[in-house]
Amino acid sequence: MIIVDVQHNGSAILVDARGELDENAGAALQEALNGATVDARDLLVDLHGVSVMDSDGLLHLLNMHRRAECLGLRILVTGWQPQPQQCMADVAGISGLGAATGERYAVAGFRRLIEERARCARDSADFAAGWLPRT
């Protein structure tokens, strides 16, 4: 379960996420942007309280990022904990524990790469579990 606290602070939207970033996190992350005004310029997402993330959670984070960009917001995701950062590194195909993926997150090409690979990882897990592939 994910808990998301949102503060609108002048031109910034501050999102504090806690819990598990998984398949159930999508609505909470998307709702964080519902109160965005035309004055908002920055989105800061704090993941210090997120200890677990899977490929679905990563896709939800990427979807939130894309929506924020469409709103014209600059995005900074900070506080990457070891498991979520390792999940992103694994999905991106970057070997080694503690791969510095958090710093690369803001690069558009890297986001597209991990989004594509996260979808493949999710679909592979669904197939292995005997579920029908997602479309």
Side-chain angles (χ1 to χ4, degrees):
M1 183 168 111
I2 189 86
I3 298 170
V4 178
D5 292 323
V6 181
Q7 295 179 357
H8 295 269
N9 186 4
S11 65
I13 300 171
L14 309 173
V15 176
D16 179 27
R18 295 181 311 282
E20 297 180 9
L21 205 63
D22 58 15
E23 65 182 331
N24 300 315
L29 290 177
Q30 293 306 316
E31 286 176 20
L33 294 176
N34 285 348
T37 66
V38 294
D39 296 333
R41 297 284 177 253
D42 300 304
L43 171 65
L44 174 62
V45 181
D46 184 354
L47 298 180
H48 279 99
V50 175
S51 58
V52 176
M53 179 176 74
D54 63 12
S55 57
D56 284 318
L58 179 56
L59 285 168
H60 290 311
L61 189 61
L62 291 164
N63 286 338
M64 178 182 169
H65 195 212
R66 182 179 299 107
R67 183 171 172 220
E69 282 183 330
C70 289
L71 293 171
L73 300 173
R74 291 179 298 189
I75 300 99
L76 175 62
V77 180
T78 187
W80 290 95
Q81 297 302 304
Q83 190 281 332
Q85 186 155 337
Q86 189 60 48
C87 173
M88 188 173 5
D90 291 344
V91 166
I94 300 171
S95 60
L97 290 174
T101 54
E103 294 79 19
R104 298 177 193 179
Y105 180 84
V107 179
F110 184 69
R111 286 193 318 270
R112 283 191 298 274
L113 168 74
I114 59 176
E115 184 175 33
E116 179 181 314
R117 291 187 178 178
R119 282 193 182 116
C120 288
R122 178 193 63 197
D123 292 345
S124 293
D126 286 353
F127 182 76
W131 299 343
L132 294 175
R134 298 179 183 171
T135 57

